[in-house]
Amino acid sequence: MSWPIRFGFCTAIAVIAAAIADPLVESASNAGWFGPGVFTDHSNLDVAPVLLVGVLLLAVHFVLKARAALANGNGRDHDLWHQAGHALGSGVWRLLPAIFGVQILTLYAMETAEQYAVWGHSLGPMIWLGGPLPVSLAVHAIICVAVAVTIARWVRALTATTLRFIRLIRALVTFAPQPAGSVASRSRNSVSFRRSSPLLCRIGERAPPPVSA
């Protein structure tokens, strides 16, 4: 798996994991699980857009993987799926530190942007965590592992679906519509055949020769 594709995978997983873990931590904080302190900005405006961005990044990743598999595979779906999924399925554990790092950066960015969008200013240096530091990091780490491992297990099925989609698009794009000239040619032939019909009828209805005395 090339570095850009690996980085795209890590970023997509990190963004999705951040969008899932953040409302979980904030909901617990708002429910008073961590005491009376203020840990959140009482807004989840950023969750849906961030989750959508993560899903789009993941879709782009699988498109790139599928295209690489089509370019390097021998044409059999089983081999293509294996090539596309082997690197992620076997190496996802080595990517977890990078995914978690990008996830925390994503959390900081999304929460800080939300504070400025909703309140017009930052609410404090630690509000972006959504809860006490150890609890927030622990929840985000658990969600990071869960999302990464789950998607790694689905990678071959997702790549197979992407392969079918790309092949369908290619078939639609390369489908050549029938030229208008061939239709016109058939129309002329049809008209010519109809014009020859009266001649056949006249030959068939010719009067018999006169009988000699």
Side-chain angles (χ1 to χ4, degrees), residues 5-110:
I5 294 180
R6 184 184 297 110
F7 177 77
F9 175 76
C10 292
T11 302
I13 299 302
V15 172
I16 293 174
I20 294 174
D22 180 48
L24 295 178
V25 177
E26 288 196 1
S27 296
S29 296
N30 294 333
W33 290 14
F34 310 127
V38 178
F39 298 102
T40 75
D41 56 6
H42 298 281
S43 173
N44 287 320
L45 184 66
D46 57 341
V47 172
V50 171
L51 182 61
L52 178 61
V53 169
V55 172
L56 291 176
L57 289 174
L58 190 63
V60 171
H61 166 78
F62 280 109
V63 168
L64 294 177
K65 290 293 294 180
R67 291 181 60 185
L70 286 172
N72 300 326
N74 59 11
R76 292 186 301 175
D77 283 347
H78 180 272
D79 293 330
L80 295 178
W81 301 343
H82 179 77
Q83 292 170 13
H86 177 71
L88 293 183
S90 61
V92 66
W93 294 101
R94 295 193 300 271
L95 299 176
L96 285 178
I99 295 173
F100 185 69
V102 176
Q103 179 179 340
I104 298 303
L105 291 176
T106 301
L107 175 66
Y108 175 79
M110 62 187 279

Side-chain angles (χ1 to χ4, degrees), residues 124-168:
M126 304 301 289
I127 296 296
W128 62 275
L129 286 168
L133 177 62
V135 175
S136 180
L137 293 180
V139 172
H140 278 272
I142 292 171
I143 299 299
C144 174
V145 173
V147 173
V149 172
T150 299
I151 293 181
R153 288 180 178 178
W154 291 353
V155 66
R156 295 185 185 181
L158 292 172
T159 305
T161 302
T162 307
L163 282 169
R164 295 191 186 99
F165 179 76
I166 291 177
R167 285 173 173 168
L168 175 62

